[in-house]
Amino acid sequence: MKRLTIERLGHRGEGIARDGDARVFVPYALPGETVLAEVAGEQARLAEIVDASPDRVAPVCPHYAHCGGCAVQALRAQAYADWKRGLVETALRNAGLSLPVAPVIDAHGAGRRRATFHARMARGEARVGFMAARSHEIVEIDSCPLLAPELAGALPAARAIAHVLAPRGKPLDIAVTATLEGMDIELRGAGPLEDHESGALIEAAAAHDLARLTNHGRLVALRRAPFVAVGPARVPLPPGAFLQATQAGEDVLGGLVLEAARGARNVADLFCGVGAFALRLAREARVSAFDSAAESVDAMCAGARATSGLKPLGGAARDLFARPLTAQELAPFDCVVFDPPRAGAPTQAMEIARSPLRRVVAVSCNAQSFARDAAILVNGGFAAKNITPVDQFRYAPHVEIVAVFSRGEGQKRPKRSLLG
């Protein structure tokens, strides 16, 4: 057992201390605290808080410090917001950029509208919950205070599904999404189902009033076709499709993107998903949208066709990692919005930097990859006007970012967009 002084919070929400010349990461410890911890290499287990931080508050969940779903629940609100903002500032600084970052916008709203529960099987029984921090051990939970009210029945439904498949002994991921028609569940890890398993799952779907149940994208039970509200549209939800974690988060991000693109008449939306930005932008501009997930692009286009008052919105399936839009293809646009996955999109950012574009709106859920891509744009002549962190992942070490980049006059653009 060692006595440690916590110096700061790391980017994963763990307290960082010094043990001689070595850094030690202490989950659930806060800056300024003196703690007793069991140390094993760089990792430590918090045993006792000797001197608590004045910023320490009571956690909102009894599973905190066991369940790994939340990293920082015991930190006072202002200190927590400062830490989240600091994640972006530090990442930019590490990328060689000195840029101002706006205060964090809280976008937790009513709570998470999607969650993935994990199930592990032993002796024909299923344990369902979230994983412990830095572990594959399952922490069984009876409720989660971060979930939206529409997911109140998510855990009982996940347990019922896991119980049906427990004899297989395979680990499962059970992704639950709140839709306008009720809960939509996508299973991963089960593999092809036997007829008796499908029958039992159909009964579970009915018992828990699921809108739909799919297994690796294949339909198991459909009671009501699930739709989600995306800006002005009603969009059919593909199985397992990506959505922003909270409805409030999507609304805040969409509002920031819409304001940043205001006045543009021809916009490209890269990594568009089901159209969180494209469908909002199409109220004011012609939009060409691209994503590798063809089913998400099709869903976005279906939503657009069923929505009146939108300007032309074209969608195309394209792997923007393997085939980024080139500088020449980007030339027709007044503005580009890009929202890549956590890994970022350096190759696409390079093409944007080489293009004659004058306005870019970058959205990211990872501070490190955002900073790297931002550096590419800055080195390409862009200046960052606004960098706004958005917190829809309350208590987690993740932060959304919306940034606006602009530069001076470029060459003339043709009037037609890439998609006609």
Side-chain angles (χ1 to χ4, degrees):
M1 195 76 67
K2 292 194 175 183
R3 188 183 182 97
L4 301 172
T5 299
I6 307 301
E7 298 175 354
R8 59 188 176 87
L9 282 184
H11 71 275
R12 297 180 68 166
E14 299 166 321
I16 298 179
R18 288 280 172 185
D19 181 19
D21 294 331
R23 286 190 311 176
V24 178
F25 297 90
V26 189
Y28 313 117
L30 301 180
E33 292 186 330
T34 301
V35 303
L36 295 179
E38 296 176 357
V39 178
E42 285 193 338
Q43 304 304 316
R45 185 186 70 83
L46 179 62
E48 180 183 345
I49 300 171
V50 179
D51 293 312
S53 165
D55 286 324
R56 180 172 285 277
V57 296
V60 300
C61 178
H63 301 292
Y64 180 64
H66 302 288
C67 171
C70 291
V72 184
Q73 231 184 66
L75 186 60
R76 194 176 302 277
Q78 186 56 58
Y80 167 81
D82 291 342
W83 168 65
K84 284 247 164 157
R85 183 183 188 183
L87 294 176
V88 183
E89 293 172 326
T90 299
L92 289 168
R93 190 164 54 248
N94 290 342
L97 299 175
S98 178
L99 299 172
V101 177
V104 173
I105 297 175
D106 180 4
H108 179 70
R112 302 279 188 92
R113 61 177 173 175
R114 60 180 178 86
T116 298
F117 302 106
H118 307 291
R120 298 294 181 267
M121 316 307 178
R123 298 180 296 278
E125 296 294 327
R127 301 178 69 239
V128 179
F130 293 125
M131 290 181 182
R134 292 186 179 271
S135 171
H136 292 293
E137 178 188 350
I138 297 296
V139 177
E140 291 189 279
I141 59 175
D142 50 10
S143 64
C144 175
L146 298 187
L147 300 184
E150 293 83 359
L151 291 187
L155 272 162
R159 284 198 185 90
I161 289 167
H163 176 73
V164 170
L165 299 174
R168 286 181 164 233
K170 290 185 175 182
L172 297 176
D173 290 338
I174 305 169
V176 190
T177 302
T179 76
L180 297 173
E181 284 68 34
M183 291 186 296
D184 179 43
I185 292 185
E186 160 74 349
L187 293 178
R188 297 280 170 160
L193 300 173
E194 301 289 343
D195 288 346
H196 72 278
E197 292 171 324
S198 294
L201 289 173
I202 290 170
E203 290 180 3
H208 293 272
D209 195 29
L210 303 186
R212 179 178 63 186
L213 174 62
T214 54
N215 176 44
H216 292 270
R218 294 186 176 183
L219 186 64
V220 177
L222 178 64
R223 303 177 66 247
R224 298 177 296 276
F227 285 76
V228 289
V230 181
R234 240 175 82 94
V235 175
L237 184 67
F242 172 80
L243 286 177
Q244 296 296 341
T246 70
Q247 183 64 59
E250 181 183 303
D251 293 342
V252 169
L253 294 170
L256 289 169
V257 168
L258 197 61
E259 180 59 33
R262 199 167 302 283
R265 294 189 294 178
N266 195 10
V267 180
D269 182 5
L270 311 183
F271 308 96
C272 64
V274 296
F277 305 134
L279 287 163
R280 288 171 166 86
L281 290 163
R283 289 182 291 195
E284 300 183 9
R286 182 188 187 97
V287 180
S288 299
F290 303 85
D291 197 280
S292 61
E295 63 277 10
S296 291
V297 174
D298 291 344
M300 173 192 67
C301 292
R305 288 193 297 270
T307 305
S308 61
L310 299 184
K311 295 185 182 298
L313 192 165
R318 177 162 170 171
D319 184 343
L320 295 172
F321 294 105
R323 293 179 54 232
L325 262 65
T326 65
Q328 183 177 3
E329 289 175 308
L330 291 165
F333 298 105
D334 304 313
C335 176
V336 163
V337 177
F338 78 115
D339 179 18
R342 292 184 59 78
T347 307
Q348 183 62 78
M350 289 176 188
E351 291 296 332
I352 292 172
R354 284 194 282 263
S355 77
L357 279 163
R358 297 195 297 272
R359 188 173 6 163
V360 176
V361 187
V363 184
S364 175
C365 62
N366 182 276
Q368 286 74 35
S369 62
F370 162 75
R372 180 202 60 210
D373 293 351
I376 293 170
L377 297 179
V378 170
N379 291 335
F382 283 94
K385 295 172 60 178
N386 299 295
I387 300 175
T388 306
V390 176
D391 185 22
Q392 65 171 334
F393 297 101
R394 183 173 286 179
Y395 306 134
H398 307 302
V399 59
E400 294 280 345
I401 304 154
V402 178
V404 186
F405 295 87
S406 63
R407 62 183 172 189
E409 290 293 321
Q411 64 194 57
K412 279 191 175 182
R413 293 161 170 69
K415 292 183 180 180
R416 291 185 63 79
S417 73
L418 186 61
L419 297 180

